[in-house]
Amino acid sequence: MSKITLTSESVLHVPDTVDVPFITGDGIGAEITPAMMKVIDAAVSKTYGGQRSIHWLEVFAGGRAFEKFGTYLPEDTVKAFADYHVGIKGPLMTPVGGGIRSLNVALRQGLDLYVCLRPIRWFKGIDSPVKHPERVNMVVFRENTEDIYAGIEWEAGSEEARRFFDFLKQEMHVTKVRFPNSSAFGVKPVSEEGTKRLVSAACRYAVAQNMPHVTLVHKGNIMKFTEGGFKKWGYEVGEDAFAGKVRMDDCIADAFLQNALLKPEAYDVIATLNLNGDYVSDMLAAQVGGIGIAPGANINYEAGRAIFEATHGTAPDIAGENKANPCSILLSAVMMLQHLGWNEAADAVTQAMERCFEEGYATADLAKFMENGKPLGTKEFADALIASLL
Ligand code: NAI
């Protein structure tokens, strides 16, 4: 039996040989995912002397699923991630037409993965556009299921948009729509439950990682009930369950974008809504030069489900050329090891990466900005990482 199980308190029980479903992904997925598995297997084996191992189970989504099964997201894939609790995925192409906006969004919604977790730190040797990238060390908790991203919107000129406007005018006495006949409409649901589970997760993480400072990032000055509600409910979590354990403050989103550039050392754990979180995590990743190597995970802590993922796309322009950088999916796998409680193996991979970068070993996209850069192919970089494992 090598399946992860869950206790009634939502604690993962991880066997020494653990089944982990993975999606290879499209485009460069075929190169970076095997490279990631090779490095992770080597790190786990070396760290635990063969006592622990990962049993990888391939499941399908995206173009590879369509070729095999005629569907982009087979039900069995969603079921595997639900049953095995923890999995990892490479990048997926977004199908054109066909009613699926994004396979990633479909997976997140299907499994109610309400936290999008993005840690942001700098690696010595990586080129950055700011003077002190080493001062950035933040973890973003982005709400993943609500907000204007919920996909409730109607196209300008459609019958639905007209009916929605009629409802606003007649039932809600709204007079502020400037150009009603040519307006598209979107709805921004933000709930107390949705906010509180996200902010609670951020606080638990802050306590566990010994960085007990959480900042709520919002636009509650303008959107008083949605973003303002997020701030109010967020503080309630800080004052109730985490009183005395977490220092909580808040920052208006536009001020946060300035402050994160000017005094990044002032922030630790960030809890924010879906759209703000999208902007904030990409800006912070750019600040440490890591937009192409940033890791991420989508998690539901209560259900014990988590999918770790490469945050970039399928890079069709370089696919098949052994040029792709595996660091995004690899650092996501490091997060996965931490999530499993295998911190020693996680640290071993991170330290091997630090050593490689310091010596100038990296794939071409990073090596070209390093003074001592020695560009390697995807496979060769994975081998260099394995050789650097202590
Ligand atoms: P992209 O991220 O695939 O590529 C943008 C640029 O970054 C390209 O020049 C590419 O060569 C480079 N790049 C990306 N990852 C790299 C890596 N690991 N190593 C070296 N260079 C890398 O974005 P694009 O071109 O907009 O999207 C291509 C496809 O990927 C689309 O179908 C899109 O929908 C999908 N996509 C999937 C995502 C996911 O599964 N999480 C996220 C973003 C896009």
Side-chain angles (χ1 to χ4, degrees):
M1 181 72 176
S2 43
K3 250 188 189 178
I4 291 175
T5 49
L6 198 67
T7 67
S8 52
E9 286 85 36
S10 298
V11 177
L12 297 182
H13 174 75
V14 182
D16 280 344
T17 297
V18 59
D19 291 334
V20 173
F22 73 96
I23 296 172
T24 299
D26 298 316
I28 56 170
E31 295 151 78
I32 59 173
T33 305
M36 174 276 292
M37 295 193 300
K38 198 172 164 192
V39 175
I40 294 297
D41 283 343
V44 169
S45 162
K46 195 155 187 177
T47 306
Y48 303 115
Q51 286 296 306
R52 285 179 170 168
S53 60
I54 294 180
H55 177 226
W56 302 97
L57 298 168
E58 182 159 22
V59 294
F60 294 88
R64 289 162 84 95
F66 195 79
E67 273 169 29
K68 248 178 133 58
F69 307 110
T71 167
Y72 287 105
L73 187 57
E75 260 182 39
D76 280 354
T77 298
V78 182
K79 199 170 166 304
F81 282 117
D83 285 353
Y84 289 93
H85 294 286
V86 172
I88 189 160
K89 59 173 277 294
L92 298 174
M93 46 86 80
T94 302
V96 181
I100 299 184
R101 279 194 189 192
S102 151
L103 296 167
N104 296 309
V105 174
L107 267 173
R108 284 171 207 165
Q109 287 178 351
L111 295 168
D112 192 27
L113 304 175
Y114 66 88
V115 170
C116 176
L117 180 61
R118 295 274 174 96
I120 292 121
R121 60 156 285 191
W122 178 67
F123 281 89
K124 196 168 178 194
I126 299 292
D127 188 51
S128 153
V130 299
K131 282 188 198 148
H132 290 291
E134 75 285 357
R135 292 184 186 166
V136 183
N137 185 17
M138 295 186 215
V139 180
V140 178
F141 277 73
R142 166 186 168 194
E143 205 290 324
N144 230 353
T145 62
E146 298 197 305
D147 198 359
I148 202 75
Y149 267 49
I152 311 169
E153 57 172 9
W154 298 285
E155 194 177 3
S158 66
E159 172 61 13
E160 290 85 354
R162 190 191 59 72
R163 284 173 60 191
F164 187 69
F165 175 67
D166 285 349
F167 169 76
L168 289 181
K169 194 166 103 182
Q170 284 155 22
E171 305 279 329
M172 308 300 284
H173 311 295
V174 170
T175 55
K176 289 182 191 159
V177 181
R178 182 68 187 82
F179 298 110
N181 294 331
S182 64
S183 285
F185 293 95
V187 177
K188 181 181 170 83
V190 178
S191 69
E192 181 175 350
E193 288 98 315
T195 300
K196 286 191 166 173
R197 66 178 181 171
L198 184 274
V199 177
S200 300
C203 290
R204 278 197 304 272
Y205 181 96
V207 172
Q209 300 298 315
N210 207 16
M211 46 199 310
H213 169 214
V214 175
T215 304
L216 306 169
V217 173
H218 61 89
K219 281 290 288 180
N221 54 332
I222 306 293
M223 292 169 267
K224 297 205 183 294
F225 301 126
T226 50
E227 306 246 344
F230 181 88
K231 173 184 163 189
K232 174 172 159 283
W233 296 317
Y235 270 120
E236 284 174 12
V237 170
E239 284 156 13
D240 295 345
F242 293 92
K245 295 185 198 143
V246 165
R247 179 165 64 88
M248 188 173 277
D249 51 22
D250 74 284
C251 191
I252 303 286
D254 41 307
F256 176 78
L257 293 176
Q258 278 190 50
N259 291 347
L261 278 171
L262 300 174
K263 47 170 186 172
E265 64 281 4
Y267 298 104
D268 300 300
V269 176
I270 307 301
T272 191
L273 302 99
N274 210 334
L275 179 61
N276 296 336
D278 201 359
Y279 298 151
V280 161
S281 43
D282 269 20
M283 188 205 71
L284 291 174
Q287 215 168 315
V288 293
I291 193 90
I293 64 168
N298 299 291
I299 306 178
N300 180 321
Y301 290 94
E302 288 70 30
R305 290 178 188 153
I307 301 183
F308 296 81
E309 64 175 357
T311 56
H312 53 71
T314 60
D317 52 335
I318 56 164
E321 294 180 18
N322 191 36
K323 279 187 189 163
N325 186 342
C327 287
S328 174
I329 193 160
L330 195 51
L331 288 169
S332 300
V334 166
M335 290 171 71
M336 182 177 84
L337 294 175
Q338 290 163 342
H339 190 77
L340 298 178
W342 295 9
N343 292 313
E344 305 80 5
D347 290 348
V349 178
T350 313
Q351 285 158 12
M353 203 178 279
E354 285 168 350
R355 278 190 284 277
C356 279
F357 288 160
E358 279 199 49
E359 287 168 29
Y361 292 115
T363 46
D365 54 312
L366 298 181
K368 68 183 173 196
F369 297 112
M370 296 174 170
E371 262 173 35
N372 58 346
K374 304 170 188 80
L376 298 175
T378 312
K379 284 186 189 145
E380 292 71 24
F381 179 61
D383 290 340
L385 285 168
I386 291 169
S388 300
L389 288 168
L390 290 183

